[in-house]
């Protein structure tokens, strides 16, 4: 089964609007990470939220984590055309409280920000 | 800091040939490197985990004889696609974790492989 499923699959907004993407996962986790991928490029690590955290901020990014619902959300405020990319959530395996780096990625949300 | 490079960025080859892709951590020692493949508009699928000085661990369904991985040093891992076929055409991405910091992976820019 897929660990880390996101919705929406695609999101199209105007510059200046906020963009919210959601991620659900199935097993218990130590942390959840969000990555951005520009078309045809590698991934850029955006933010990591640990299982004992509920919310985390980084610049225009706000991530929430609800372990009871096994879900996370990524909010990008005041979006810019340069935010156009695919966004993925990813989770490492939960094994005795230690994460081994191996990540399982969600299907991703394709965000398009129109200028 | 924490830069990972891949070479080549694009490669086109004929069916039946072998292709080697390099993944390097430029400014840190990578105890573990990961190889992913990504089909168009899809997510990343982990192929194998590579630890320096030991054999790679392959995910279920990935042919180890077809996708040879060598992690000869703390800064270099290579993926060789042997006897490539058109269905091997994909975007291959490597990532690396820094010694002592296993939570964050640093990704290379990817290699676009096209097999004719």
């Amino acid at each position: 089964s897929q660990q880390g499923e996101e919705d929406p699959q695609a999101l199209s907004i105007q510059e200046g609007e906020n963009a919210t993407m959601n991620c659900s996962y199935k097993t218990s986790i130590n942390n959840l990470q969000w990555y951005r991928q520009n078309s045809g490029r590698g991934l850029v690590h955006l933010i990591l939220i640990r299982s004992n955290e509920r919310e985390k901020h980084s610049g225009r990014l706000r991530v929430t984590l609800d372990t009871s619902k096994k879900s996370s959300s990524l909010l990008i405020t005041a979006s810019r055309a340069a935010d156009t990319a695919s966004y993925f959530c990813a989770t490492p395996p939960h094994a005795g409280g230690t994460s081994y780096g191996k990540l399982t990625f969600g299907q991703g949300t394709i965000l398009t920000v129109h200028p | 800091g924490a830069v990972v490079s891949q070479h080549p960025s694009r490669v086109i080859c004929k069916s039946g040939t072998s292709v080697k892709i390099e993944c390097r951590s430029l400014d840190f020692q990578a105890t573990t490197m990961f190889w992913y493949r990504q089909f168009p508009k899809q997510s990343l699928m982990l192929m194998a985990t590579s630890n320096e000085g030991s054999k790679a661990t392959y995910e279920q369904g990935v042919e180890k004889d077809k996708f040879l991985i060598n992690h000869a040093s703390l800064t270099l891992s290579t993926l060789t696609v042997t006897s490539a076929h058109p269905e091997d055409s994909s975007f291959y991405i490597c990532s690396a974790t820094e010694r002592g910091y296993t939570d964050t992976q640093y990704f290379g820019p990817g290699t676009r492989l096209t097999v004719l």
Side-chain angles (χ1 to χ4, degrees), chain A residues 2 6 31 33 35 37 40-45 48 50 88 92 98-108 110, chain B residues 6 32 34 36 38 41-46 49 57 59 91 93 95 97 102-110 112:
Chain A
Q2 180 70 38
E6 289 147 86
N31 66 71
Q33 303 172 37
Y35 289 82
Q37 183 182 33
R41 305 296 297 275
L43 274 70
V44 174
H45 181 263
L48 180 153
R50 301 194 182 280
F88 296 92
T98 303
S99 62
Y100 298 100
K102 177 178 169 178
L103 293 175
T104 301
F105 284 84
Q107 291 303 308
I110 300 173
Chain B
Q6 275 185 247
T32 305
F34 302 88
Y36 298 84
Q38 184 181 32
K41 297 190 187 303
Q42 293 190 24
S43 187
L44 281 73
M45 296 297 294
L46 180 65
T49 303
T57 303
E59 294 300 301
F91 194 55
I93 306 176
S95 70
T97 56
T102 57
D103 282 340
T104 301
Q105 289 190 25
Y106 300 100
F107 284 80
R112 174 76 59 193

Side-chain angles (χ1 to χ4, degrees), chain B residues 1-74:
Chain B
V3 177
V4 174
S5 70
Q6 275 185 247
H7 178 80
S9 58
R10 290 177 180 272
V11 57
I12 301 172
C13 69
K14 293 182 179 179
S15 188
T17 60
S18 294
V19 175
K20 180 184 284 190
I21 303 170
E22 291 186 349
C23 177
R24 291 182 186 273
S25 57
L26 298 185
D27 51 3
F28 66 98
Q29 291 188 329
T31 49
T32 305
M33 288 182 168
F34 302 88
W35 287 95
Y36 298 84
R37 68 185 298 181
Q38 184 181 32
F39 292 107
K41 297 190 187 303
Q42 293 190 24
S43 187
L44 281 73
M45 296 297 294
L46 180 65
M47 299 174 66
T49 303
S50 169
N51 292 297
E52 186 265 338
S54 63
K55 289 185 178 180
T57 303
Y58 290 81
E59 294 300 301
Q60 193 172 9
V62 177
E63 300 174 59
K64 60 181 67 176
D65 293 332
K66 181 166 187 61
F67 298 100
L68 300 179
I69 291 173
N70 183 278
H71 194 156
S73 76
L74 282 171

